[in-house]
Amino acid sequence: MRYLFATALLLIIGTAYAQDAAEQDSIDRDYSAELPRIAPTEPADAAGTFEVKPGFRMEPIASEPLVRDPIAVAFDEDGRAYVVEMCGYSEERDEDRSAIALIEDTDGDGKYDTRHDFLTGLKWPTAVACYDGGVFIGVPPDLLYCKDTNGDGVADVNETVYTGFNWNNVQGMMNTFLWGPDGRIHASSSSVGAEARRVDDPKAPIVSLRGRDFAWDPKTRAMFAESGGAQHGMSYDDWGRKYVCQNSAHIQLVLFEDRYTARNPYLSAPNSCVNIPVDGPAADVFRISPIEPWRIVRTRLRVKGITPGLIEGGGKPAGYFTSATGITIYRGDAWPEEYRNNAFIGDVGSNLVHRKVMDPDGVSLLAHRPKGEEKTEFVRSTDIWFRPVQFANGPDGNLIVIDMYREVIEHPESLPPIIKKHLDLTSGRDRWRLWRIVHDGFKQPEIPKLSKAATADLAPLLAHRNAWHSETAARLIYERQDKSVVPALEDLAKNCPTELGRKNALYALSTLGALTPELVLHGLNDTSPMVRANSVRL
């Protein structure tokens, strides 16, 4: 038996040695035969590449040549979309290829059909948020405010508000601008951070962002550091709880704001940002796309020590989160209620959209795969060009998927030169896809033109089940500062039949400077724990 075992072992070793010798991996070997180019799928055929959870489907709402290389989107008060086009990814920053496109659906069918070159000649834009008829735009090192004042779809106001944001890592710059209930725009500072300073006030204090996120008041332009500091993606649920993600940590909860613990200089506080998935930060994922050849070769060379780099997954090139991005909590009204407050995360390296459901766990939460999705994903594609980098709750109540659509998405410095020279990191800069995930039976609603709505008509929208409606109404109420709406908001805070409406009314009153102690006490005695918790904050 020992002889047979030894013989078998020698055969295994000999075979492995022969294969290794045949490969002759080395730093100067030509790997072109193992690194073929992968062709894209044209827009007309792209929907056929998806496997989607039964009852749902992927619908294209825009594609090339209408827009290119999207990484973020913001919907204004009339449902128009400002799209961040990062065409300079990943090594063409100084060629000023990137832009902000303004696209419109002119016939109301839910598909975008008209483009305006809102702002062109940009380096690496990363984020956008609507405010006061214009948009704040992240273009590290700067935070801009741009606006079209004559109605031609092109920005004629271009103001640098803040500067000092770092840009030395193309995958770690500021991103994800979101309107918060407190009347501020919240953002991720990502991994490179900033020493942000106001351009119009040299005496204003510098805001240091190292491992922390930030927010600013769009009216006063005051900026604040906040808990967070993950990589790309950020979202809030109905409670106002904040979620972030990183490459290999796909869902994290910001458990508390560290400004509270900072009041005590002697307290050694725990990290405010915690991993909450029961299957671990770099959980298994179940792709149906072929593993990219360069990923296979790179992993093999790392395992052998021929090229440097982190050996992930025990030496497996795929099958787990390596590029989690764009975490978004679904808060629309076009899907069944069971999906509300679920988390959706993209893995651009595995060409899929992952779903998590959260359950209470003491003062925290636990995130787990929903029943029926233990060995599959909510959306997955056979096309390795499918790159879901970011998501948004759309005006129509669906989840919008921003598909950068690139042959390769990878940090250039993580690609060994012997591999990188056979790839084209610009491939796809003239392409893109914008999708919506639609539930069976969905009918396109009419998108209201809230820019024309009276302030009194905005108040009831704070209780709307679709986040675009409620957040846009809250933003417009703050922008207008019309105190005539205060009585309606007070009535909503006390008598709205939904907890979401009562909570949002309290915040709207706060942004108008009209929140009274009596209303806060009323909220503290509300039957809803959501309202009580937010009343404590207020």
Side-chain angles (χ1 to χ4, degrees), residues 50-71:
F50 291 109
E51 178 185 292
V52 190
K53 182 177 176 63
F56 292 85
R57 65 184 183 275
M58 295 281 281
E59 282 189 356
I61 56 175
S63 62
E64 65 268 11
L66 194 67
V67 280
R68 312 154 298 160
D69 251 14
I71 64 166

Side-chain angles (χ1 to χ4, degrees), residues 131-132 136 161 179 183-185 198 200 216-222 475-482 511-512:
Y131 180 75
D132 194 25
F136 285 95
V161 181
W179 182 261
R184 299 185 296 175
I185 298 173
R198 286 184 65 156
D200 64 349
W216 72 97
D217 185 323
K219 195 175 290 291
T220 67
R221 306 289 176 84
R475 174 171 62 81
L476 293 175
I477 288 171
Y478 175 67
E479 288 177 11
R480 297 176 184 182
Q481 290 292 302
D482 181 358
T511 66
L512 292 176

Side-chain angles (χ1 to χ4, degrees), residues 44 48 109 117 133 164 316 335 366 379 411 463 476 483:
D109 66 350
D117 290 323
K316 296 189 301 180
W335 294 7
L366 284 177
V379 175
H411 197 290
L476 293 175
K483 300 298 177 64

Side-chain angles (χ1 to χ4, degrees), residues 78-126:
D78 293 332
R80 303 183 304 170
Y82 289 87
V83 182
V84 177
E85 299 180 328
M86 198 181 192
C87 303
Y89 178 89
S90 59
E91 296 179 292
E92 296 183 307
R93 176 181 183 272
D94 294 332
E95 300 198 17
D96 299 347
R97 296 180 179 275
S98 301
I100 307 297
L102 173 58
I103 59 175
E104 298 184 65
D105 169 17
T106 59
D107 58 11
D109 66 350
K111 311 293 175 66
Y112 290 92
D113 49 54
T114 302
R115 173 194 172 98
H116 304 281
D117 290 323
F118 180 76
L119 191 65
T120 59
L122 302 179
K123 296 187 182 299
W124 276 345
T126 57

Side-chain angles (χ1 to χ4, degrees), residues 414-484:
S414 73
L415 291 167
I418 56 175
I419 291 177
K420 183 180 175 183
K421 67 182 180 182
H422 300 295
L423 306 177
D424 180 3
L425 299 189
T426 71
S427 180
R429 70 184 179 199
D430 57 345
R431 293 179 176 268
W432 95 308
R433 312 285 155 84
L434 193 64
W435 304 89
R436 63 181 178 185
I437 306 176
V438 174
H439 190 261
D440 289 351
F442 169 76
K443 294 182 179 179
Q444 176 65 34
E446 181 179 353
I447 306 302
K449 306 295 184 184
L450 295 183
S451 63
K452 298 179 174 60
T455 306
D457 295 330
L458 294 174
L461 292 179
L462 295 174
H464 203 287
R465 295 293 289 168
N466 189 32
W468 175 80
H469 289 76
S470 61
E471 290 180 353
T472 302
R475 174 171 62 81
L476 293 175
I477 288 171
Y478 175 67
E479 288 177 11
R480 297 176 184 182
Q481 290 292 302
D482 181 358
K483 300 298 177 64
S484 68

Side-chain angles (χ1 to χ4, degrees), residues 315-364:
K316 296 189 301 180
Y320 48 92
F321 270 108
T322 62
S323 47
T325 182
I327 185 168
T328 298
I329 307 301
Y330 176 70
R331 296 166 57 220
D333 64 347
W335 294 7
E337 185 63 21
E338 66 188 274
Y339 295 93
R340 190 172 187 86
N341 287 309
N342 288 190
F344 292 85
I345 307 108
D347 190 330
V348 296
S350 294
N351 322 111
L352 56 84
V353 179
H354 178 81
R355 174 186 169 214
K356 274 292 196 296
V357 176
M358 277 72 77
D359 291 325
D361 180 39
V363 297
S364 186

